[in-house]
Amino acid sequence: MPPTKNAPTEQTSTDRFRLLVDAVQDYGIFMLDTEGNVASWNTGAERLKQYRPDEIIGRNFSLFYPAEAVAAGWPAEELRRAEKDGRFEEEGWRLRKDGSRFWANVVITALRDPDGKLAGFGKVTRDLTERRAHEEALRESEQHFRLMIEGVRDYAIFMLSPDGVIESWNSGAQLIKGYSPSEVIGKHFSLFYRPEDLEAGKPEAELKTALQHGRVEEEGWRVRRDGSVFWANVVISPVYDANRLLRGFVKVTRDMTERRRLYELEKSSKRMSEFLAMLAHELRNPLAPIRNAVTILQLEPSPSPLVRSSRDMIDRQLSHMTRLVDDLLDVGRLTTGKIRFKTEQVPYNLVVARSIEAVRPLLDARRHRLTTEMPAASLLVQGDATRLAQVLQNLLINAAKFTPEAGLIELKVWQDGTQLYTSVRDNGVGLSAQALSQIFELFSQGDAQTAARESGLGIGLTLARSLVEMHGGTLNAESEGPGRGSAFTFFLPNAQAVADGAGDEDDIGSGAAILVVDDNRDAANSLAEILRLMGCQVKVAYDGPSALELFRKQAPQAVLLDLGMPDMNGYEVLAALRALNGGEQVTVAALTGYGTDEDKQRALAAGFDEHLTKPLDFAALQTFLQAAGVAVES
């Protein structure tokens, strides 16, 4: 039957297919004969490999392979495999006409006639250079990331499967947890948890929380390979693939044991400071009446030699005990950064004079000879007079304690430009090289055998150096060795010499009314006795209501008011007193065993005119009375 009109003939179909193949530009499609010679060539092949049909048809396709592949017989091997299996596919480097290389995906298909005899090969080649470059860049990026993760030593970074099985392990994980990769990969991450955490289901709960919230972070104890525990900061985040399927979890662990230790030390330091403040208060309360009793004895006109000797011994030991209490408080303030001082122009000559006066009883008791060398002009420095005196007193006390009886102590002050130097030198026991390197450390007492013979807490020099440094100076020690004495020298900046012009203090008269309020009867009565010996008229109350009643009858010039009274404390008494007639004008001092800056600020903010710390210093009492306009007998 003849073909219908317009029906495509076999020749027409072949021509159309040839046109279709020839039009493809992204693929090189061509035919090879059974020997591998090019038999056809499409536009894509010409575009890809740069050969025109007349340049390549009839030549062997091995022309497209690098020399090393040709030498290895690879082109023929590809045809052999394609003939054997019917099809062969691979990726590899191929050559263009100009000799440049490109990465090609190659598919070779064996072509057979109707009888099954090999008629040649069809070959399709695609340029994948750009994709390969992208993949190489991605692999390189992954390699860099892997190396970066592997190089991190401060953090344990590892992958978990969706079930919590460890899949990767970096060097930080090995360092922190103690496992090598071969020991831990493939095991469940719960082996890092304590038994009580496992019993509570903590590992599973962490993964669940991470899934619910996209991340979980916590701190807690974790277990190392050797069974020891460390305080860890842990972050777990889920990892998803491109299709939002859970790939697993990434876990980052950091050893925070040292930070936790510092935090615990800070808490302990705070508790210690609170304890020291309470201890100082409790010690100062009984010290107050003792100090008052000693002062009364000192004001007696003509005590017997035995009484005078006993009185002076009590005074020395009481002063020593008071210094220990003050040092305890100051070291607590130092460790918490709470030491504050008032900076002003300080007459340094007066600081030196008061320091010597305070230490004189100890020097006399040990029969030391003190020599002083001072500039002729008066000296002014920027600082806190009380703290500077504390520095110098600590150095003088240290020299007195560690110098045998009848020793020599030299105090020298000199100015170099704007720097003021102070040196305390003795001919005492001296310091070894090791003791010299440790002498300013907290609780250090120099050489053990020498320290054992002397009392003290080993904090005086630490306080002295810290206070000097807070003034912008430095404190150093030197010694030529044991038995050859020591010298402590410090400098203060911003010093200046001025002409002498300090006036004498005003004379103090007599006859004043003072109200003493304290629930501790011994403290109240002994303080009242001191005031009477000073020529004051004194009234005493042992509680708040009694004090207010006495005030209503006759308003005194000044009130010494204890804060820590039961039922009605000092703050409440002050508020009630200020509301009485004449209460706003009277000068009131707070008496307390608490002596921190915060305690003082609270008292002044509440309306007290002065804050006096127990045991009450006689000089501080005189200063208060003078400020209140109270005249006393000298």
Side-chain angles (χ1 to χ4, degrees), residues 227-270:
S228 62
V229 295
F230 66 100
W231 188 260
N233 173 271
V234 177
V235 178
I236 302 178
S237 303
V239 178
Y240 298 92
D241 62 17
N243 299 317
R244 292 298 298 170
L245 294 176
L246 181 65
R247 168 67 180 82
F249 301 87
V250 61
K251 186 172 183 183
V252 181
T253 301
R254 186 179 184 188
D255 186 353
M256 306 297 285
T257 308
E258 182 64 17
R259 192 186 75 172
R260 179 179 172 85
R261 187 184 71 83
L262 292 175
Y263 172 72
E264 291 295 331
L265 282 175
E266 186 176 322
K267 287 204 307 183
S268 298
S269 177
K270 182 179 179 182

Side-chain angles (χ1 to χ4, degrees), residues 350-626:
L350 185 58
V351 169
V352 173
R354 288 179 176 175
S355 300
I356 294 174
E357 181 182 354
V359 182
R360 178 61 68 183
L362 178 60
L363 297 174
D364 292 344
R366 299 180 73 104
R367 297 185 293 112
H368 291 319
R369 182 164 63 93
L370 174 67
T371 66
T372 60
E373 183 179 338
M374 296 277 296
S378 298
L379 299 168
L380 293 179
V381 293
Q382 283 290 122
D384 185 304
T386 301
R387 294 302 184 183
L388 290 176
Q390 185 178 6
V391 171
L392 191 49
Q393 286 173 33
N394 279 338
L395 296 183
L396 289 170
I397 290 170
N398 185 74
K401 285 170 56 178
F402 291 97
T403 299
E405 288 197 9
L408 174 63
I409 299 173
E410 299 172 301
L411 171 61
K412 182 180 179 181
V413 178
W414 71 98
Q415 188 177 6
D416 185 1
T418 61
Q419 293 183 336
L420 183 64
Y421 289 84
T422 304
S423 172
V424 176
R425 182 179 297 274
D426 63 64
N427 62 349
V429 297
L431 293 165
S432 65
Q434 180 181 359
L436 199 60
S437 66
Q438 301 172 348
I439 194 65
F440 292 110
E441 294 179 5
L442 192 59
F443 304 123
S444 173
Q445 294 181 312
D447 295 301
Q449 292 182 349
T450 303
R453 297 194 297 268
E454 301 295 339
S455 60
L457 300 174
I459 60 181
L461 291 177
T462 306
L463 284 171
R465 170 175 269 190
S466 298
L467 291 173
V468 168
E469 289 175 351
M470 292 174 74
H471 281 82
T474 59
L475 170 61
N476 298 299
E478 58 182 273
S479 175
E480 295 181 3
R484 306 188 68 177
S486 305
F488 291 84
T489 304
F490 66 92
F491 84 86
L492 300 170
N494 304 318
Q496 57 179 309
V498 296
D500 291 333
D504 296 330
E505 294 183 356
D506 295 334
D507 292 334
I508 299 175
S510 61
I514 311 294
L515 175 59
V516 176
V517 186
D518 196 332
D519 65 304
N520 185 323
R521 290 177 177 264
D522 286 340
N525 293 337
S526 57
L527 177 56
E529 191 61 35
I530 291 172
L531 292 168
R532 292 189 184 99
L533 290 171
M534 296 171 69
C536 299
Q537 299 177 11
V538 186
K539 294 183 179 180
V540 179
Y542 305 119
D543 56 56
S546 300
L548 295 174
E549 182 61 30
L550 289 174
F551 192 94
R552 290 188 188 95
K553 292 179 179 178
Q554 182 181 358
Q557 281 185 265
V559 179
L560 293 163
L561 176 57
D562 180 42
L563 294 182
M565 296 186 296
D567 300 327
M568 191 176 189
N569 64 36
Y571 291 104
E572 294 168 333
V573 173
L574 177 69
L577 186 151
R578 292 298 191 198
L580 297 177
N581 185 30
E584 286 295 333
Q585 289 76 36
V586 70
T587 302
V588 184
L591 284 179
T592 175
Y594 291 102
T596 66
D597 291 340
E598 290 83 354
D599 297 324
K600 182 175 181 179
Q601 291 169 6
R602 182 189 174 195
L604 297 178
F608 282 97
D609 299 293
E610 186 56 83
H611 178 275
L612 299 177
T613 307
K614 297 178 180 180
L616 187 57
D617 181 75
F618 185 66
L621 176 60
Q622 287 180 308
T623 301
F624 166 71
L625 294 176
Q626 182 181 3

